[in-house]
Amino acid sequence: MKILMFGRGVIATIYGWALQQAGHDVEFYVRPGRAATYGDAVDLDLFDMRRRVWGQRVAEKWPVRYREALEPDHDFDLILLSVPHHRLAGATAFLAPRVGQATVLIFGNLWTEPLAAIGALPADQIAWGFPQAGGGFGADGVLHGALLPSVIFGTLDRPPTSRERAVRQAFREAGLRIKERPDFRGWLWVHFASDAGLFSQGLRLGSLSELAGATGDLREALLAGRELLPLLQARGLDLRRHRGGLLPFRAPTWLTAPVLAWLTAHVAPARLSLTAHSDPDAEEPREVCRDTLAEARRLGVAVPRLEAAEPSFAREVTG
C-alpha cells in the first residue's frame, strides 16, 4: 500500500515507521520549507510493545521521504490524518480537493459530530481510527515514544466498508492487533472527556509530565473525568455502551489513583505517556479543556474541577 502521512507529528512518525517496516511505501506531506528543516532522517528512541509485554527498546536513525506538494492525481492508497482536533478543519479543507482516490484515515481526538468534522471530504473514502502510541520530540530532536500492541478502529454503527477493511489489514501487517469500537462516535467523545479530566489537572500543575507518579493529583484527574459523565449524557450519549472505557472514572479512586501512580512511575510506556508531555505551552491540552468547558456551559452541566482549573488553560500562549 502506498501511504501518505499528513505531517511529521509524533503519531504519524511512529506509525509511519511501523507501516514501512511491514513493507508499505510511506511518505510524509509537510509544509513548504519543512523538509530541509527536518532533514532526511528521524532519530527514534521507542518502546515497541508489539511482541514483548514490557517492550523492546528501538534506537535508530530512520531515513524518511518528504513531499511539499500534493496534486489531485496522486497515486496514494491511504492518507493518514492525525492532527490536533482544533486543526482538523484546516487539514480537511486542504485535503478535500486533493484526496484523489485515496482512503483518508481520521486518526485522533474528536469532539464534534464525525461526519461534520470531515468537511468536504467524501464520506465514502473515510476510515476512522485512534492511535495507541505516544511520546514527544525532545529538545535534541529525538522522538521518544512508545508503540502499544493494538490500535483502535471503529465505525458509525455500521459494518466496515471494503476501504476500511483494507486499512485495518495494513495495520495488521504491521504487527498490530485491531480493537473494534462499533459506536465510534461515542467512544471518541468518552476519550475526549477523559483527556479533558487528565489535561485539566496536568495543566493546573504546569504540564502533564507533573502527573507521573502523583497519586493525589491523579485522583483529582479521575474525579474531574467523573464530573464529565453527566456532560456526555447531556450530549445524548448512552453510557451503557461504554462501560469499559468509563470504568476508571467509576471505580473507587482510593484504588485506581495509586495504581495509576505506580504505573506512571515504574512502567516505562505508562511513564513516558506523561513525561514526554513537558511543554507548558502545548496547544492541544488547552484546546481540549477549553472546548469541553464551553460545551458544559452551553448545556448547563456543572463541572467544578474543570471550572477551577480554567485559569491554567484559558490564557492564550504566544511565542
Side-chain angles (χ1 to χ4, degrees):
M1 184 177 282
K2 188 170 183 180
I3 303 172
L4 181 68
M5 318 303 287
F6 191 86
R8 202 208 63 163
V10 171
I11 298 302
T13 303
I14 292 175
Y15 283 100
W17 170 77
L19 289 163
Q20 184 167 295
Q21 273 195 324
H24 297 285
D25 183 0
V26 174
E27 293 184 41
F28 290 81
Y29 170 79
V30 296
R31 284 179 285 180
R34 288 294 178 90
T37 302
Y38 289 144
D40 58 4
V42 179
D43 287 311
L44 299 174
D45 182 8
L46 302 176
F47 283 96
D48 181 357
M49 303 180 69
R50 289 174 293 175
R51 297 174 182 86
R52 296 183 184 177
V53 174
W54 298 108
Q56 178 179 358
R57 187 77 173 270
V58 175
E60 68 176 63
K61 188 179 289 289
W62 176 41
V64 295
R65 291 178 294 143
Y66 300 110
R67 62 167 54 215
E68 297 182 345
L70 184 63
E71 302 300 327
D73 60 350
H74 63 77
D75 60 349
F76 287 101
D77 303 298
L78 173 65
I79 299 174
L80 189 148
L81 180 54
S82 182
V83 297
H85 81 281
H86 62 288
R87 303 287 186 194
L88 184 59
T92 58
F94 173 85
L95 282 176
R98 300 173 175 86
V99 67
Q101 299 303 310
T103 300
V104 178
L105 173 60
I106 307 294
F107 205 52
N109 259 330
L110 212 59
W111 189 229
T112 54
E113 290 290 345
L115 292 180
I118 63 175
L121 286 172
D124 62 353
Q125 291 181 228
I126 300 296
W128 303 95
F130 200 92
Q132 299 283 273
F137 285 95
D140 55 1
V142 176
L143 173 51
H144 302 277
L147 175 63
L148 299 188
S150 60
V151 65
I152 305 293
F153 280 94
T155 59
L156 307 180
D157 284 319
R158 55 159 177 73
T161 65
S162 59
R163 284 178 177 270
E164 290 172 305
R165 290 194 297 272
V167 175
R168 286 159 170 75
Q169 181 59 29
F171 279 76
R172 287 192 187 95
E173 290 167 1
L176 292 156
R177 298 197 301 270
I178 306 300
K179 292 185 176 180
E180 290 285 351
R181 299 292 182 263
D183 175 20
F184 199 56
R185 168 182 173 270
W187 187 91
L188 285 168
W189 288 2
V190 167
H191 187 275
F192 196 97
S194 302
D195 275 355
L198 183 71
F199 292 165
S200 67
Q201 301 310 302
L203 291 170
R204 181 178 56 81
L205 298 173
S207 75
L208 299 185
S209 62
E210 299 297 326
L211 287 172
T215 302
D217 294 307
L218 286 167
R219 177 181 181 274
E220 286 299 301
L222 290 167
L223 292 173
R226 183 182 296 176
E227 291 176 352
L228 294 171
L229 301 189
L231 174 58
L232 294 171
Q233 288 181 304
R235 298 189 97 199
L237 201 63
D238 182 356
L239 299 186
R240 294 171 299 179
R241 300 186 69 181
H242 302 280
R243 290 188 178 95
L246 296 174
L247 184 60
F249 303 101
R250 287 176 161 163
T253 56
W254 60 262
L255 173 64
T256 51
V259 170
L260 279 177
W262 187 89
L263 289 171
T264 56
H266 300 288
V267 178
R271 183 175 67 249
L272 186 63
S273 69
L274 291 178
T275 57
H277 296 87
S278 58
D279 181 2
D281 295 331
E283 284 187 331
E284 177 70 349
R286 296 175 187 278
E287 295 294 340
V288 167
C289 292
R290 286 171 181 157
D291 287 353
T292 306
L293 182 55
E295 183 72 347
R297 287 171 172 167
R298 184 182 75 84
L299 294 173
V301 177
V303 288
R305 283 180 170 80
L306 191 56
E307 290 274 6
E310 185 181 15
S312 66
F313 59 77
R315 68 181 178 87
E316 294 293 334
V317 177
T318 59

